[in-house]
Structure formats: C-alpha cells, structure tokens
Amino acid sequence: MSTSHLSVRVYYEDTDFSGNVYHAAYLHFFERGRTEFLRERGVHHSELVKDGVAFAVRSMSIDFKAAAHIDDLLDVTTQVASMTPARLNLLQSIARDGVEITRAEVQVVAIKTSGGVARMPRDLVAAFSK
C-alpha cells in the first residue's frame, strides 16, 4: 500500500514557551496528513458527509522521539497498516531532515453521520489499497 507525504512548516503558533512544538500541535500535523492521504486517493470529507459517512479517530498512540522547532520543515507520512470493512489502521510519522522525530499508530473508524458504526464504501476500500 502506498505512502502519502505532506510537507508542513512549523510556525510560531505551533510552539510552546520553550520554543519546541507543543505536543498537541502534532495532532494537527497528523490530521492534515490523513486528510491529504484521503484527498490524493480522490476521497473528500465533504463528499463522504453527503453520503452519510464520516471518519472518527478511535485510538491513537504517539511516540515523541525528538522535538521540532520553529521554522522546521517537516515531512508527515501516512500509510495503511491494515483495514477491515469498518476500520482503518494507519501508521504515521513526522521526520525532519530525513530523521523520524514522532510516530503514531492511528485507528480510524467509519461512522454514520446519523450515529453508529458504518461500513466503508467499497470504492473507499479500493482507494486505500492504492
């Protein structure tokens, strides 16, 4: 399964008083990476919602190995580890100058916008295999 890459610049607003990227900012970087991963495969959140389907993060495990700093250019990678008809397990990482500084394992589930668990449409499952 393919890997998606997204370049993200660290801005002042992403940092804390010490000049390091605040831990919660990494969640934003990972979210952007997942969104672009979908977009590259022709999957758009706005279209999913029209079909009554959305994605929700069910669980996430993050390993912070090193800090990112203001003006760093980061590479956010996203790839599918495994999937079921209703769950997508992703591996994401953030690297600076080719060195991984943060890693996340993310489980995303398909839900009905009206509530409850949904199965992913077949075309989505096929898109994730590309």
Side-chain angles (χ1 to χ4, degrees):
M1 294 183 199
S2 65
T3 301
S4 174
H5 292 269
L6 174 69
S7 292
V8 175
R9 177 75 62 189
V10 175
Y11 297 109
Y12 180 77
E13 67 186 18
D14 301 317
T15 62
D16 61 17
F17 69 93
S18 69
N20 295 319
V21 170
Y22 183 64
H23 73 278
Y26 292 95
L27 296 174
H28 294 281
F29 301 155
F30 284 131
E31 179 68 31
R32 292 178 201 157
R34 289 191 304 277
T35 299
E36 291 305 318
F37 171 82
L38 293 174
R39 189 181 312 277
E40 289 171 6
R41 283 148 187 82
V43 179
H44 303 277
H45 289 291
S46 58
E47 296 299 318
L48 288 174
V49 170
K50 288 178 188 175
D51 293 335
V53 177
F55 287 115
V57 172
R58 183 179 182 279
S59 65
M60 180 181 248
S61 173
I62 303 175
D63 183 14
F64 298 98
K65 299 176 180 185
H69 310 282
I70 193 165
D71 292 330
D72 282 352
L73 184 59
L74 306 176
D75 178 39
V76 181
T77 62
T78 303
Q79 66 185 62
V80 175
S82 64
M83 65 180 143
T84 70
R87 291 186 182 145
L88 188 59
N89 295 305
L90 301 168
L91 295 176
Q92 292 191 276
S93 66
I94 297 175
R96 179 186 52 230
D97 298 325
V99 177
E100 184 178 87
I101 61 171
T102 308
R103 182 172 200 65
E105 294 179 14
V106 186
Q107 185 177 84
V108 179
V109 294
I111 60 171
K112 297 175 187 172
T113 55
S114 59
V117 177
R119 287 186 167 273
M120 284 189 274
R122 288 184 185 175
D123 56 336
L124 284 180
V125 174
F128 296 142
S129 299
K130 294 179 182 177

